[in-house]
Amino acid sequence: MANEIWTIKRCLEWTKEYLAERGEEHPRLSAEWLLCAATGLARIDLYMRMDETLNAAQLETMHAAVVRRAKGEPLQYITGSTQFRMIDVTCAPGVLIPRPETEMLVEEVLNYLDAEVLSPEAAARQRVELPWNDEVEEARKAEAALADERATAERRAANLTAADEAALGGDVLGSRAYAEELADREAEEAAAQAAEAEAAEAAEPELDEYGIAIEGADQETASAQDAASPAPAEPRIARVLEVGCGTGCISLSLAWERRGHVTCTATDIEPRAIDLATKNRDALGLTYDEVAFSLTNLVSSIPREEWGTFDVLVSNPPYIPTDVMRSLPHEVKDFEPDLALEGGADGLDIFRRLLNAAPYMLRAGGLFACELYEGALDAAAELCRQAGLSDVRIVRDLTDRPRIVRAIVTEPKQRI
């Protein structure tokens, strides 16, 4: 194979046929993924460069990848990555591969945070009397008075005829001249006053419907408003606790998509998962303060002083019922970790433990959200109700199957 000329086109067609013969469900898509990983090209670039020849290193990589895929190994383990919502996630054997259904779990959490935690609470806003309001009103009145005086003077001047001037002598001429001079002077003063009022209006910041200056006001305006109304509360930082983080895709997506507004604490019992999640965090440029990963069993490592401080407890726990495990596809059953898949007889073993922990970890009004096996959602919802949680809902996935249970903790608990 290495001694022959293998173009991208030839390799793509050969790989597609080879995988199809071995039962690959989507052979062309798999061939494209593998070629992209071997060449470093995007899928669209493959079709723009069909006549390019693969070098020896690319052929060797491609050959090894095709052999692994033909044995049923997941593409994400072979290529080493997958896309999850807005981020690229590194994948590795021993750690569960992120699924599209879990993207919906992130969406549910974001919707809750946006509506209940991150949005400022609606508050009655009263009109603030700005300091220049009285000045502008006084200027307006002064301008109107000057206009009235000018009109009166003009009427006087207009009513004096030449005969009146001759009969009354120079005093009349003086009166008319005075009237004209007064009219001119008043016109100039009115124009100056109007210019000052216009300047004041131009300097006046734009007001909203409540009479409050919007962004862009000058420093004096801002200071006046600050003195007249209380300073807005500091924006709240949402706190999320994730149990069973795997690649870290849930916590990393939450912190990435609401950066600066969400911090996450994420746990896992598998050391390989913590190592991989940490690498994914570092690759995104997120910090430990934004997403902290901890090797522990469920919530055992959470300090007592942090109990009851989280806004969300979210998890994609092991949830496949034991009997269903035997019927999983080959590439899942034989390659992905059982520890991250099997959830006991009804798939709810870990869920029950999380449900027990939720009232201790969450504040009042906090969200508890889990992705679960489609046949277990009704039972999970009932368990939430029995535990005293409120607003219990079942969310369906993209294939219209029940997939997520979410509920609100109304009465937090404290252990003595």
Side-chain angles (χ1 to χ4, degrees):
M1 185 174 180
N3 295 327
E4 302 179 45
I5 296 177
W6 286 85
T7 63
I8 288 177
K9 180 179 180 180
R10 183 185 178 191
C11 192
L12 180 63
E13 295 300 324
W14 184 91
T15 303
K16 181 190 72 172
E17 294 176 7
Y18 181 84
L19 294 178
E21 292 172 357
R22 283 153 182 78
E24 173 68 47
E25 186 176 0
H26 303 289
R28 188 174 192 87
L29 180 61
S30 294
E32 290 172 347
W33 273 41
L34 297 177
L35 261 174
C36 288
T39 62
L41 297 174
R43 285 176 65 193
I44 191 172
D45 292 332
L46 295 178
Y47 291 92
M48 301 287 290
R49 301 161 71 168
M50 281 288 195
D51 294 331
E52 284 193 14
T53 302
L54 300 178
N55 60 39
Q58 291 170 336
L59 278 174
E60 184 177 351
T61 299
M62 190 65 183
H63 178 264
V66 171
V67 170
R68 292 170 66 182
R69 183 57 187 162
K71 293 179 179 178
E73 186 172 352
L75 282 166
Q76 293 89 340
Y77 287 161
I78 300 170
T79 63
S81 68
T82 192
Q83 188 172 22
F84 185 86
R85 290 181 65 89
M86 298 174 64
I87 63 176
D88 289 325
V89 177
T90 298
C91 300
V95 182
L96 190 70
I97 297 168
R99 287 348 193 241
E101 294 84 356
T102 308
E103 295 186 1
M104 293 189 63
L105 180 61
V106 172
E107 189 71 17
E108 285 297 315
V109 173
L110 287 175
N111 289 340
Y112 166 81
L113 291 177
D114 289 344
E116 304 297 334
V117 181
L118 301 180
S119 298
E121 295 183 4
R125 300 193 334 181
Q126 298 180 350
R127 177 182 172 86
V128 176
E129 279 299 323
L130 301 179
W132 55 78
N133 286 351
D134 291 340
E135 296 175 10
V136 171
E137 182 64 17
E138 288 299 322
R140 188 193 65 76
K141 290 179 179 179
E143 182 181 356
L146 283 171
D148 289 339
E149 291 180 11
R150 181 174 66 250
T152 300
E154 288 174 349
R155 283 194 299 272
R156 288 175 185 168
N159 290 332
L160 293 175
T161 65
D164 292 333
E165 292 175 1
L168 296 174
D171 288 342
V172 174
L173 290 174
S175 297
R176 182 169 185 173
Y178 171 77
E180 290 176 347
E181 180 183 349
L182 177 62
D184 291 340
R185 179 163 51 85
E186 289 174 346
E188 291 174 0
E189 290 176 353
Q193 194 72 262
E196 292 177 4
E198 183 177 352
E201 184 177 356
E204 180 180 356
E206 184 180 353
L207 306 181
D208 63 15
E209 59 182 325
Y210 300 99
I212 298 177
I214 64 174
E215 186 175 334
D218 60 23
Q219 188 62 40
E220 181 180 353
T221 298
S223 299
Q225 283 186 283
D226 290 343
S229 59
E234 288 294 322
R236 195 148 94 68
I237 303 297
R239 303 193 73 235
V240 175
L241 173 61
E242 181 192 1
V243 177
C245 64
T247 61
C249 61
I250 293 176
S251 287
L252 295 176
S253 289
L254 293 171
W256 179 261
E257 295 185 38
R258 298 294 185 274
R259 191 160 192 182
H261 300 283
V262 174
T263 62
C264 301
T265 298
T267 70
D268 205 293
I269 199 172
E270 170 57 62
R272 288 174 293 182
I274 295 298
D275 290 343
L276 186 60
T278 302
K279 291 177 182 177
N280 282 324
R281 179 191 67 197
D282 295 345
L284 288 170
L286 293 169
T287 66
Y288 176 86
D289 290 336
E290 292 174 298
V291 184
F293 295 110
S294 175
L295 179 64
T296 191
N297 183 21
L298 300 181
V299 298
S300 299
S301 66
I302 305 302
R304 287 292 293 267
E305 60 269 20
E306 294 187 22
W307 290 13
T309 66
F310 293 99
D311 298 291
V312 175
L313 194 165
V314 61
S315 182
N316 176 20
Y319 61 67
I320 305 298
T322 303
D323 289 344
V324 178
M325 286 288 294
R326 291 190 287 269
S327 60
L328 291 177
H330 165 56
E331 67 177 71
V332 176
K333 179 175 58 177
D334 295 336
F335 289 95
E336 296 198 68
D338 287 353
L339 184 64
L341 293 169
E342 187 171 356
D346 60 359
L348 296 176
D349 281 2
I350 301 299
F351 173 80
R352 288 185 176 88
R353 297 173 67 183
L354 293 173
L355 178 58
N356 182 63
Y360 296 98
M361 296 295 111
L362 294 172
R363 61 166 177 81
L367 175 71
F368 174 56
C370 283
E371 178 182 334
L372 296 171
Y373 178 65
E374 61 186 272
L377 266 298
D378 288 336
E382 182 57 30
L383 288 173
C384 288
R385 297 185 188 97
Q386 292 175 7
L389 275 63
S390 65
D391 193 18
V392 181
R393 306 182 203 171
I394 294 174
V395 180
R396 293 182 173 271
D397 63 19
L398 297 174
T399 62
D400 200 35
R401 297 174 180 174
R403 183 61 60 192
I404 296 166
V405 64
R406 49 162 291 170
I408 299 298
V409 170
T410 53
E411 297 183 6
K413 298 180 181 178
Q414 293 183 350
R415 287 193 179 128
I416 299 175

